[in-house]
Amino acid sequence: MNDHYLKKLDRVTAILTQLQSKPLVRAQDLAEKFDVSIRTIYRDVKTLENAGIPIVGEAGNGYSLMDGYKLPPVMFTKEEVLSFITAEKLMQKFSHQSLGSHYQTAMEKVRSVLKYSDRNLIQHIEKQIDIFNYQPKPEDSIKNVIPTILESIAEKTQLNIEYKTVDSRVTNRTIEAVGVFFEFNYWYIMAFCTLRKDFRQFRVDRILKISKTQNPFSQEYGQINDYRRNPETNGTKVRLLVEKKIMGHLVNSKKYYGLTEEIERENGMELTFETEWIEEGFPRWLITFADYAVVLEPESLKTKLNHLLKTISEKHQ
């Protein structure tokens, strides 16, 4: 069997896996995923149909498997099995505790369909992989909080939460969850708050109580990244010119502090931010690399930075 047919076999098998795992699969998406033409995808789908796989749909609309059709368990490659082991280690260290037991059960099901040789491989290799995390996980006051949030998103129903703010006040909110995200060792909900009539993010470990309501919401909020990338804030605009050699050290933190634009200049990288932390947080972050940066605007940031440097200098004379 030549290389062309081997590639086609791998691709057709992968398309079948996509059909098993998704309710609708578009030919255009498959063509982009496998880096082939849409016409090639049409031929691959025809190959599956000729093999007796009942595929519903047509070119231009998308494909799916006939409802109720069952396939034998998927066989995994050795590389996929090894990736499962690594993913399991990551989940053990970084997943939210309300997801941990569910993931463990899911992995037991995956292990049950592995070949004997692959189960042997897991047994020998899983103790050779570890993830070192030096930050303790925050403890939640309630169980199954993230599954409850995700169910409300899928069902498009409002949530009632009792929430402890950063200054230890307890408030009751009704929210419409957009999604969840993990950042700087904490899980957050991005949601529309009916009390504030605006989008807010809530730290999951500060939720004291949570319950799904019977109140549906019809608003389509889009993807969570739309809100993470374009936060609606009344922040202060800041522009910095930063030397290129230290940009690698700012990969994560620059987004956290409100990066909105990044332009390469002849003498460095021009970074634009929208920040609400102009009084304290932003100047203290900037001071960590101030010898490699120039403040272009605002003038008030230069004043704050100079004052902070003077205070530090006086304390350490």
Side-chain angles (χ1 to χ4, degrees), residues 178-230:
V178 176
V180 297
F181 63 94
F182 182 81
E183 186 173 60
F184 297 101
N185 210 48
Y186 292 102
W187 282 92
Y188 295 85
I189 314 174
M190 179 65 72
F192 179 81
C193 177
T194 60
L195 176 66
R196 303 300 184 197
K197 304 296 182 187
D198 201 357
F199 292 94
R200 294 287 188 271
Q201 60 186 50
F202 302 91
R203 225 173 76 181
V204 167
D205 63 304
R206 290 186 183 148
I207 297 175
L208 304 179
K209 292 180 183 177
I210 187 168
S211 61
K212 287 192 299 179
T213 72
Q214 298 300 314
N215 305 326
F217 61 88
S218 57
Q219 180 65 39
E220 294 291 341
Y221 289 122
Q223 299 180 6
I224 190 169
N225 284 344
D226 298 337
Y227 300 89
R228 295 294 299 146
R229 290 172 186 164
N230 302 300

Side-chain angles (χ1 to χ4, degrees), residues 130-170:
D130 206 349
I131 309 295
F132 297 104
N133 179 21
Y134 297 100
Q135 293 179 306
K137 287 185 181 180
E139 292 295 324
D140 296 331
S141 57
I142 49 179
K143 293 181 179 179
N144 288 327
V145 58
I146 287 188
T148 301
I149 296 163
L150 296 179
E151 284 174 15
S152 79
I153 295 170
E155 297 167 3
K156 298 195 72 172
T157 54
Q158 293 179 338
L159 290 168
N160 285 333
I161 63 171
E162 188 176 285
Y163 188 72
K164 186 177 182 180
T165 63
V166 68
D167 57 357
S168 296
R169 289 184 300 108
V170 176

